[in-house]
């Protein structure tokens, strides 16, 4: 980027290595103008987080230089000044939270900057309002959901009132409402003059930037405005990235033979252009949309047997309150004093409230809900890691609260938690994957067979199992090893809690394709996700959680046609459906009652736009 008269950050020929062998950054030169919103993109391992850590002197270059507001980050004398100017939010909030209580954690940064006591409280309250956590001041940080922890980390950075805010995948654990809320805060702060550097994999976020930088193998491969960079589909695909939804639709329209539709990164601009063309064309579209719309985004899902329940929740209530308080809680739900701005209730006592549903043999069940809605708590009940305060959870006919019942279910219900690579612990890949089968009492011949089979299932060469330790592998490979460790127990039900969190688009597609293939081979799959597109394309049925209760249940077609209900509880609809709704609101005669994919939406629109080849 052209430096302008007064860049607040300047990187000149920055190189950096962690191991003295492979360059994590290789000659990066970049200027960030004061008051700009700059987005940094790249696949996993491209150097994005390494670059972000150089911007507040957490790392310093091996060669080259980084200056912040004219201060050289390599000079120890300026470290305090640099960090007082640059606020940093990491991808995983557990790497950043330091205090037991929310208000103490948010106060930690400004307190260390010497902010007077009378101003400190005002900053904490103001920052919690900005991230939608009003009322959470006295809550314990370790009792929060992943998304709530991320918001606390963001509030802590905002409370320092930095000149530059660096967000490293800060929205990765947030629900759609949380992401929208964060982007609103970013736009407001940027509009008031704060410089924002945003590392992200979410193309819709990148589309709102002033400037986009794409890293690959530690080098800048592409840079320019969002329109210049994010429409280069082939080049982005080679780098493991993707184009924004609006651009995908424009490219799909080209494949349908529609002429003159230029790829755009911002949905509103493309929707306006398409609506104008459809009105000008005046084509009689009767019948076209209905035929094209029959293919729902979830049509790939296979059939299920509604009568075959493998796991059942029967009026399940659950509270994290200590056991001595359960008797008081069971006499009724305590009154609630309102909800936080991003959809959470700080005074809720029930993590699950009267939940009843089934996981059926052979289905691909998706679970979605706002941050703090009870999704992860639900997952912990499925193989007996937690037991209901009231109600019953049964797996394969066994009441999991019965003494000893869950032990027999552990192998049959495999659970993969958020960031599964953090569960790795053994000296070798083989021993890590073998841990579960050995605990099941398998002999070493059977253990070796299971290890080899599960590694092949996740796309890893079994030859690495005895040669390498898990921590020698890339982040994506570590996640596959952790996944293999669950598969080696040969479960009948696979439960995944945000399995694609933090992965770049190419890695996400690869990982989700692996899960889809395992489902096709006979595994029953339950997947928790905030990504509506993934849920629509993979799942045969959805359960939508809201404040600990089941708000909606049905097929993707049934659930995603209730867009207003989903938005009211902090979620949304798949990108193609969102664009279809926007077009319909502009007068384009798309038939209602259809769940669209990008391809089917393009087919429905093509006859309406004229100039078709």
């Amino acid at each position: 980027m052209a430096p302008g008269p007064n860049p607040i950050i300047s990187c000149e020929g920055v190189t950096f290595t962690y191991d003295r062998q492979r360059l994590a950054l290789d000659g990066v030169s970049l200027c960030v103008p004061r008051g700009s919103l700059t987005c940094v993109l790249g696949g996993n391992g491209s150097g994005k987080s390494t670059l972000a850590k150089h911007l507040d002197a957490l790392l310093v270059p091996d060669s080259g230089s980084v200056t912040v507001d004219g201060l050289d980050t390599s000079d120890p004398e300026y470290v305090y000044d640099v960090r007082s100017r640059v606020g940093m939010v990491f991808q995983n909030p557990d790497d950043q939270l330091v205090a037991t209580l929310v208000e103490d954690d948010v106060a930690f940064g400004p307190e260390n900057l010497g902010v007077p006591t009378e101003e400190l409280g005002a900053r904490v309250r103001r920052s919690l309002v900005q991230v939608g956590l009003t009322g959470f001041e006295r809550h314990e940080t370790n009792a929060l959901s992943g998304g709530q922890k991320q918001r606390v980390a963001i509030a802590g950075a905002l409370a320092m009132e930095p000149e530059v805010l660096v967000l490293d995948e800060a929205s990765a654990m947030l629900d759609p409402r949380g992401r929208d809320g964060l982007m609103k805060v970013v736009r407001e702060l940027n509009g008031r003059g704060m410089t924002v550097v945003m590392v992200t994999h979410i193309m819709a976020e990148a589309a709102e930037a002033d400037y986009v930088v794409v890293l690959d193998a530690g080098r800048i491969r592409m840079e320019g405005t969002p329109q210049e960079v994010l429409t280069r589909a082939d080049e982005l695909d080679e780098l493991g990235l993707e184009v924004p939804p609006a651009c995908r639709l424009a490219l799909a329209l080209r494949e349908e033979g529609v002429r003159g539709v230029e790829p755009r990164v911002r949905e509103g601009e493309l929707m306006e252009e398409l609506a104008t063309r459809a009105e000008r064309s005046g084509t009689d579209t009767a019948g076209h949309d209905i035929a094209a719309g029959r293919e729902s985004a979830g049509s790939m899902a296979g059939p299920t047997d509604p009568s075959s329940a493998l796991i059942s929740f029967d009026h399940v209530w659950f509270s994290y309150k200590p056991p001595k308080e359960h008797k008081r809680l069971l006499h009724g739900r305590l009154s609630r004093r309102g909800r936080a701005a991003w959809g959470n209730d700080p005074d809720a006592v029930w993590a699950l409230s009267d939940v009843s549903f089934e996981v059926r043999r052979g289905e691909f069940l998706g679970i979605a809900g706002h941050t703090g809605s009870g999704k992860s708590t639900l997952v912990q009940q499925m193989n007996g890691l937690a037991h209901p305060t009231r109600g019953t959870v049964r797996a394969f006919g066994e009441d999991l609260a019965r003494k000893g019942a869950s032990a027999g279910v552990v192998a049959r219900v495999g659970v993969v938690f958020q960031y599964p690579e953090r569960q790795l612990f053994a000296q070798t890949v083989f021993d890590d994957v073998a841990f579960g089968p050995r605990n099941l009492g398998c002999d070493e011949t059977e253990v070796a067979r299971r290890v080899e089979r599960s590694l092949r299932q996740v796309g890893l060469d079994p030859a690495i199992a005895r040669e390498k330790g898990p921590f020698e592998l890339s982040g994506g490979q570590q996640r596959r090893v952790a996944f293999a460790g669950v598969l080696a127990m040969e479960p009948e039900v696979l439960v995944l809690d945000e399995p694609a969190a933090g992965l770049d688009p190419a890695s996400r597609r690869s990982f989700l394709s692996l899960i889809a293939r395992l489902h096709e081979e006979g595994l029953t799959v339950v997947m928790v996700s905030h990504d509506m597109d993934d849920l629509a394309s993979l799942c045969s049925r959805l359960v939508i959680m809201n404040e600990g209760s089941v708000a909606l249940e049905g097929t993707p077609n049934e659930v995603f046609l209730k867009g207003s209900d989903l938005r009211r509880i902090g979620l949304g609809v798949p990108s193609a459906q969102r664009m279809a709704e926007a077009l319909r609101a502009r007068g384009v005669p798309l038939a209602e009652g259809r769940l669209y994919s990008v391809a089917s939406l393009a087919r429905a629109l093509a006859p309406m736009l004229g100039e078709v080849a």
Side-chain angles (χ1 to χ4, degrees):
M1 184 186 296
N6 185 22
I8 193 166
I9 295 174
S10 180
C11 302
E12 296 290 341
V14 175
T15 64
F16 180 82
T17 177
Y18 290 99
D19 58 8
R20 299 181 182 275
Q21 296 179 8
R22 189 184 72 86
L23 288 173
L25 295 177
D26 186 4
V28 171
S29 294
L30 172 68
C31 288
V32 179
R34 192 179 300 273
S36 66
L37 173 54
T38 298
C39 181
V40 180
L41 298 172
N44 294 120
S46 62
K48 304 184 305 300
S49 294
T50 302
L51 177 61
K53 290 173 184 174
H54 275 75
L55 303 185
D56 72 342
L58 283 174
L59 297 173
V60 296
D62 293 334
S63 63
S65 66
V66 177
T67 58
V68 175
D69 205 15
L71 305 174
D72 187 341
T73 62
S74 296
D75 190 333
E77 182 180 347
Y78 296 137
V79 169
Y80 175 87
D81 298 297
V82 168
R83 292 181 183 166
S84 67
R85 287 167 168 79
V86 181
M88 177 88 176
V89 180
F90 298 111
Q91 178 178 349
N92 192 315
D94 289 323
D95 295 337
Q96 189 160 353
L97 301 185
V98 295
T100 303
L101 297 179
V102 167
E103 63 181 359
D104 293 339
D105 200 279
V106 176
F108 181 80
E111 192 171 26
N112 277 278
L113 293 177
V115 172
T117 303
E118 58 272 17
E119 184 184 344
L120 195 60
R123 286 200 187 189
V124 170
R125 289 189 295 273
R126 187 163 58 246
S127 298
L128 289 174
V129 168
Q130 286 179 305
V131 301
L133 285 181
T134 302
F136 282 80
E137 288 84 355
R138 302 295 297 173
H139 282 233
E140 294 185 4
T141 53
N142 64 1
L144 302 177
S145 71
Q148 290 168 335
K149 289 179 180 179
Q150 189 63 286
R151 295 197 217 170
V152 173
I154 295 167
L158 295 178
M160 297 173 69
E161 297 187 352
E163 295 178 48
V164 181
L165 180 63
V166 180
L167 303 171
D168 186 5
E169 293 281 358
S171 64
M173 297 303 298
L174 300 181
D175 58 40
R177 177 185 284 167
R179 287 175 182 166
D180 289 345
L182 174 60
M183 288 307 298
K184 181 180 178 181
V185 170
V186 166
R187 287 191 296 269
E188 289 174 352
L189 293 172
N190 184 241
R192 295 202 296 265
M194 182 182 289
T195 305
V196 181
V197 178
M198 186 167 56
V199 175
T200 184
H201 288 139
I202 300 173
M203 297 301 116
E205 294 178 0
E208 298 193 36
D210 300 317
Y211 202 76
V212 175
V213 176
V214 181
L215 290 179
D216 177 51
R219 297 181 179 180
I220 294 179
R221 298 294 187 182
M222 302 166 66
E223 57 183 314
T225 65
Q227 185 64 30
E228 291 169 341
V229 173
L230 300 181
T231 56
R232 292 153 68 177
D234 292 341
E235 294 170 75
L236 289 170
D237 187 61
E238 289 177 5
L239 298 175
L241 302 175
E242 60 189 4
V243 297
C247 187
R248 290 206 308 272
L249 178 58
L251 294 173
L253 286 168
R254 282 186 181 180
E255 292 179 4
E256 292 296 322
V258 178
R259 298 171 180 166
V261 177
E262 293 300 319
R264 295 178 182 268
V265 298
R266 295 185 175 173
E267 287 184 18
E269 295 176 0
L270 180 64
M271 299 304 102
E272 200 61 44
E273 177 188 345
L274 296 180
T276 300
R277 279 189 59 166
E279 182 180 14
R280 189 168 58 238
S281 170
T283 305
D284 181 8
T285 59
H288 290 296
D289 178 37
I290 295 175
R294 286 198 185 106
E295 177 199 334
S296 78
S299 63
M300 295 295 291
T304 62
D305 178 3
S307 67
S308 180
L310 299 184
I311 302 173
S312 63
F313 285 70
D314 185 13
H315 298 288
V316 169
W317 297 69
F318 181 83
S319 173
Y320 286 102
K321 296 288 184 180
K324 65 181 181 181
E325 296 189 33
H326 285 171
K327 185 175 181 180
R328 179 174 62 88
L329 293 174
L330 290 172
H331 282 87
R333 300 174 71 174
L334 300 185
S335 63
R336 295 183 173 185
R337 297 192 294 274
R339 296 165 60 196
W342 289 4
N344 297 302
D345 177 6
D347 300 313
V349 296
W350 294 106
L352 297 177
S353 305
D354 199 19
V355 172
S356 296
F357 74 95
E358 297 175 342
V359 178
R360 300 165 186 165
R361 185 181 301 278
E363 75 175 340
F364 198 130
L365 177 68
I367 298 177
H370 60 75
T371 297
S373 63
K375 303 183 302 297
S376 294
T377 303
L378 205 64
V379 164
Q380 294 171 29
Q381 309 274 328
M382 290 187 177
N383 70 350
L385 288 174
H387 299 306
T389 306
R390 181 170 68 188
T392 306
V393 178
R394 289 184 173 84
F396 301 95
E398 292 277 356
D399 181 349
L400 294 183
R402 187 178 60 80
K403 186 175 181 180
S406 59
V409 170
V410 167
R412 302 180 75 180
V413 181
V415 179
V416 182
F417 295 104
Q418 294 173 356
Y419 298 106
E421 58 271 25
R422 293 176 179 259
Q423 300 167 216
L424 302 177
F425 66 95
Q427 294 295 313
T428 68
V429 169
F430 183 93
D431 287 336
D432 215 302
V433 179
F435 181 78
R438 283 173 175 158
N439 276 350
L440 294 177
C442 298
D443 61 42
E444 284 303 303
T445 300
E446 176 64 9
V447 167
R449 183 193 70 80
R450 290 192 179 202
V451 169
E452 179 173 348
R453 179 175 180 269
S454 60
L455 286 172
R456 291 192 186 281
Q457 281 181 300
V458 300
L460 292 176
D461 183 354
I464 72 169
R466 296 190 185 276
E467 296 174 1
K468 292 189 176 182
F471 304 106
E472 298 176 54
L473 306 177
S474 70
Q477 288 174 319
Q478 287 182 9
R479 183 165 296 195
R480 288 173 182 264
V481 169
F483 196 19
V486 174
L487 295 178
M489 299 176 73
E490 299 188 348
E492 296 174 52
V493 181
L494 184 62
V495 182
L496 305 134
D497 191 358
E498 293 282 359
L503 295 180
D504 61 51
S507 299
R508 190 188 76 244
R509 288 193 299 269
S510 175
F511 206 70
L512 294 176
S513 293
L514 164 63
I515 296 167
R517 177 168 54 79
L518 292 170
H519 174 245
E520 290 169 3
E521 292 173 357
L523 265 181
T524 300
V525 177
V526 179
M527 184 175 77
V528 174
S529 179
H530 283 141
D531 193 299
M532 302 300 112
D533 285 49
D534 292 343
L535 293 171
S537 64
L538 291 169
C539 298
S540 51
R541 194 163 60 93
L542 300 175
V543 170
I544 306 298
M545 300 293 294
N546 180 36
E547 296 184 3
S549 300
V550 175
L552 295 169
E553 183 178 356
T555 66
N557 193 76
E558 292 167 338
V559 169
F560 286 130
L561 291 180
K562 299 177 180 177
S564 59
D565 293 338
L566 290 167
R567 281 185 281 272
R568 189 160 47 247
I569 62 177
L571 299 179
V573 296
S575 55
Q577 195 70 11
R578 182 178 65 243
M579 290 187 286
E581 291 177 358
L583 288 166
R584 196 180 293 118
R586 288 170 167 83
V588 178
L590 290 165
E592 298 186 23
R594 300 288 186 270
L595 177 59
Y596 290 98
S597 64
V598 169
S600 65
L601 179 57
R603 284 197 298 274
L605 287 170
M608 307 181 189
L609 300 178
E611 300 182 53
V612 177

